[in-house]
Amino acid sequence: MVSKNQIKLITSLQLKKYRNEHQLFFAEGVKVIQELLESNFVLEQLFVTETLFEQVGISQKTLITEPDMKRISALSSPSSCLAIFKIPKPVKIETKGLIVALDDIRDPGNLGTIIRLCDWFGVRQLVCSTETVDIYNPKVIQATMGSIKRVNVNYVDLNAFISESTQAVFGTFMDGKNVYNEKLPKEAVLVFGNEANGISSALEKLIKNRIAIPRFGEIQQTESLNVATATAIFLSEFRRS
């Protein structure tokens, strides 16, 4: 069974403050947990409602009831498993290849999906502004579907990172050049902005290459694309080039 102290700890990990304090995060779902178990992430404790993950020793695995799983889960429809992992120490930023940079992305689902897209398109390095949602937010972890183990994510002073970059920097803007007409390099930094406000004005001043996805609809009244959707299109174009 799961103890009151364990319930208190797990539910507290939904908040960044306590994740930082305990240096722990949790993941839910068989696929996500399996991916993390096969990576360098260190398991602290695993909770299951049925026989799963035979590779995990009995000292680290606790069989609990479905009502208890509902008490500790962050999902509206709880899975059959929840695992607590240690937050690893940051890995040095890889300043080569194609790098994705995120300026103040707030939606956990968007960040998790962008991490999956980086994994799909072979982008190993993702840099985030300090205002961007925490990668260890349970909703982010869920949305990555395990891709978190193959993408290096760092939180930095994004203005300083961009100003010091030796690579070409491309910013995504509504009034940028048509991405389908541009010759895109294999190595670059590709910047995406906040869901509501786009790239900040301070960061915008540091970006020389402005690119956009053109609208093809006849009426053209759509305000913008979802940032994760836009990321998929831009990464596809960079890889195609």
Side-chain angles (χ1 to χ4, degrees), residues 28-134:
E28 301 186 67
V30 174
K31 177 174 174 52
V32 178
I33 292 174
Q34 186 62 50
E35 290 269 15
L36 295 178
L37 288 175
E38 294 173 354
S39 70
N40 293 327
F41 284 92
V42 178
L43 176 68
E44 185 78 5
Q45 192 67 37
L46 173 65
F47 299 91
V48 296
T49 60
E50 57 186 273
T51 303
L52 293 166
F53 307 109
E54 294 298 323
Q55 72 271 37
V56 177
I58 191 170
S59 63
Q60 287 186 295
K61 185 162 59 175
T62 303
L63 182 64
I64 65 174
T65 64
E66 289 185 4
D68 277 343
M69 183 63 78
K70 288 182 179 180
R71 296 175 69 185
I72 62 177
S73 175
L75 301 175
S76 56
S77 298
S79 172
S80 57
C81 49
L82 181 151
I84 304 174
F85 291 91
K86 294 182 179 179
I87 293 177
K89 293 181 179 179
V91 177
K92 184 179 178 181
I93 294 175
E94 294 184 17
T95 55
K96 61 181 181 179
L98 183 58
I99 298 171
V100 169
L102 303 181
D103 182 24
D104 195 18
I105 298 299
R106 295 300 180 93
D107 184 86
N110 281 337
L111 178 55
T113 301
I114 289 170
I115 291 170
R116 287 183 70 186
L117 288 167
C118 286
D119 186 16
W120 182 270
F121 285 102
V123 175
R124 294 178 55 84
Q125 181 63 59
L126 176 65
V127 293
C128 303
S129 67
T130 54
E131 297 81 15
T132 293
V133 62
D134 180 28

Side-chain angles (χ1 to χ4, degrees), residues 203-217:
L203 186 56
E204 181 178 357
K205 295 175 183 177
L206 303 174
I207 299 172
K208 295 181 180 179
N209 304 293
R210 302 168 67 95
I211 52 177
I213 300 165
R215 289 182 291 190
F216 292 96

Side-chain angles (χ1 to χ4, degrees), residues 7-16 18-19 22:
I7 293 172
K8 183 178 179 180
L9 170 64
I10 296 166
T11 54
S12 76
L13 296 180
Q14 294 189 38
L15 300 177
K16 182 178 179 181
Y18 295 107
R19 290 195 294 272
H22 297 290

